[in-house]
Amino acid sequence: MQIQPFELERWQSVWENKVELNISESGVRPLTTSELVPDAATLQKIIDVPQYYPQTNGSEELRSRIAELYPGATAENVLVTCGGSEANFISTWSLIEPGDEIVFMMPNYMQVAGLARSFGATVKPLWLREELQWGINIGELSRLIGPKTKLVAICNPSNPTGSVLRKDEREAIVAAAEKVGAWVLADEVYRGAEFDGAMTSSFWGGYDRILCTAGLSKAYSLPGLRTGWVVGSPKMVEKLWGYHDYTSIGPSMLTDLLASVALEPRRRAWILNRTREILLRNYPALRAWLESHADSFSHVPPKAGAIAWAGLSGGRNSAQMAEELREKKGVLLVAGEQLGMESFVRFGFGGDPGHLQKALGRIDEWLQENRVRSHTR
Ligand SMILES: Cc1ncc(COP(=O)(O)O)c(C=O)c1O
């Protein structure tokens, strides 16, 4: 099978550990294991655990803790996966047949669109609109979602815009999908990383063809654990478990235990509070920088996530800008093209603030050099 290259992941996989200033990340500074597990007794328990195969759909304890994040869900509604990416993968793989149509929110993390095309589906974009603060135009749903639609794939909170859908937008998407019996796949991996601390409402509930995916990589600052999950009806979760047998079989013993520690309610609150503190500490400097460069960038402030999405004035080519910044200035950011929208770039601000300042200084140099270049042409 020919697959569509996953440009964003290739870009990050190849360069993130080679550049001097990586501001391509969408999460916040990761926790260490000792920060996550500060008490010696729990740490010892984790070290002493025999490395058997784990419960392959996730331990009962971990699945119950995940279920607490979805009103009315129980452990039966949850399948633990290797990252949110595996959750998205098996969900798409299990649903898409050649000739299907999917409606896919754009701009977006392009995994589900790339997979669906590779599996032979047609992808119709559901655009987030800058003039609607990166919300959707509800009126477009009836034109896009029809009898041929197999799946409607949403990312909420949105990567890359950081916007959060309103209740009426969520309800309109579910109603349009339900009308034609389409599935809704809601990637909610940034849920919990809201600036105002109000947890984004999940798409979960109300319609039995909803799958919600998420994990510990973003709001929980634990990407290295590779813990994700999918929440759905018990019947669909059972089916997806069968697909999971063909991918990673199960989580690792250590990640299952560490993920249960992270989602223990008090620990979970502590982690999400830390994430929010990082967002509130780091974003103002980036926002001020973008506002002081309004001649070069447009920007709608994010509501969630350590990512800022900025439009390039004059329709500048984002891939060329990202490539030149990497090569000449040692700065890695993400070209909008890799998130499905040209002439935008994504800044990650969840890392070290000094590092971000330095990267912005290099971008200033690049902008200055480009201005000189375009004047001397
Ligand atoms: C929207 C979205 N979904 C899924 C993933 C993959 O997450 P994970 O690290 O949990 O596999 C990412 C990573 O950037 C993402 O932005």
Side-chain angles (χ1 to χ4, degrees), residues 196-208:
D196 64 2
M199 175 83 88
T200 299
S201 297
S202 172
F203 268 76
W204 170 251
Y207 173 45
D208 63 352

Side-chain angles (χ1 to χ4, degrees), residues 2-20:
Q2 288 293 329
I3 58 160
Q4 270 221 313
F6 193 169
E7 305 283 357
L8 168 62
E9 287 299 336
R10 286 281 80 215
W11 173 251
Q12 290 189 295
S13 299
V14 173
W15 298 113
E16 65 193 345
N17 295 314
K18 290 191 180 153
V19 292
E20 186 191 340

